[in-house]
């Protein structure tokens, strides 16, 4: 499994760059991952990211965009504004979680 270095942390990733070890993530790493894909994190961005982390911990699967909206209570249109083009994939990447099922 590939290993990369982000902000001085050795991070295990899959072939697409998604983190594979839940506990290697912290918000500093998340901020660096966001910057790498052109997302500048604000307080609005951290809400859905923290929801993804919490939901993954209890469900053992990366939440879909629909779940983030219906269970997490985040407006889908706003998620597209915060994480343009592919919000589910970008949120999972920043949150240090596997790519959601159904994302290409």
């Amino acid at each position: 499994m590939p290993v990369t270095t982000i902000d001085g942390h050795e991070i295990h990733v899959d072939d697409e760059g998604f983190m594979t070890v839940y506990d290697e993530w912290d918000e500093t790493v998340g901020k660096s991952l966001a910057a790498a894909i052109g997302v500048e994190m604000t307080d609005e961005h951290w809400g859905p990211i923290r929801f993804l982390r919490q939901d993954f911990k209890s469900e053992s699967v990366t939440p879909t965009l629909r779940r983030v909206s219906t269970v997490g209570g985040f407006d889908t249109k706003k998620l597209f504004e915060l994480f343009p083009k592919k919000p589910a994939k970008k949120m999972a990447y920043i949150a240090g979680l596997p790519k959601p099922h159904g994302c290409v």
Side-chain angles (χ1 to χ4, degrees):
M1 190 167 296
V3 176
T4 190
T5 302
I6 299 172
D7 269 351
H9 300 90
E10 287 197 356
I11 305 292
H12 292 83
V13 296
D14 64 15
D15 292 338
E16 294 183 77
F18 286 84
M19 290 179 65
T20 57
V21 179
Y22 181 86
D23 291 330
E24 290 180 342
W25 187 92
D26 63 24
E27 291 194 4
T28 302
V29 171
K31 190 173 179 179
S32 294
L33 292 169
I37 59 171
V39 175
E40 186 176 336
M41 297 298 285
T42 66
D43 288 342
E44 279 189 300
H45 290 85
W46 287 113
I49 297 302
R50 290 179 183 130
F51 170 76
L52 262 78
R53 298 277 306 168
Q54 183 178 23
D55 193 69
F56 181 85
K57 197 168 188 175
S58 65
E59 302 296 321
S60 300
V61 65
T62 302
T64 61
L65 185 62
R66 181 174 176 84
R67 184 169 175 83
V68 174
S69 178
T70 58
V71 177
F74 297 97
D75 179 63
T76 302
K77 191 173 180 178
K78 185 68 176 177
L79 294 173
F80 272 91
E81 290 175 18
L82 294 170
F83 307 96
K85 296 183 181 174
K86 297 183 177 183
K89 190 174 180 178
K90 288 183 175 180
M91 289 188 297
Y93 182 78
I94 294 167
L97 302 175
K99 186 169 69 173
H101 293 289
C103 277
V104 289

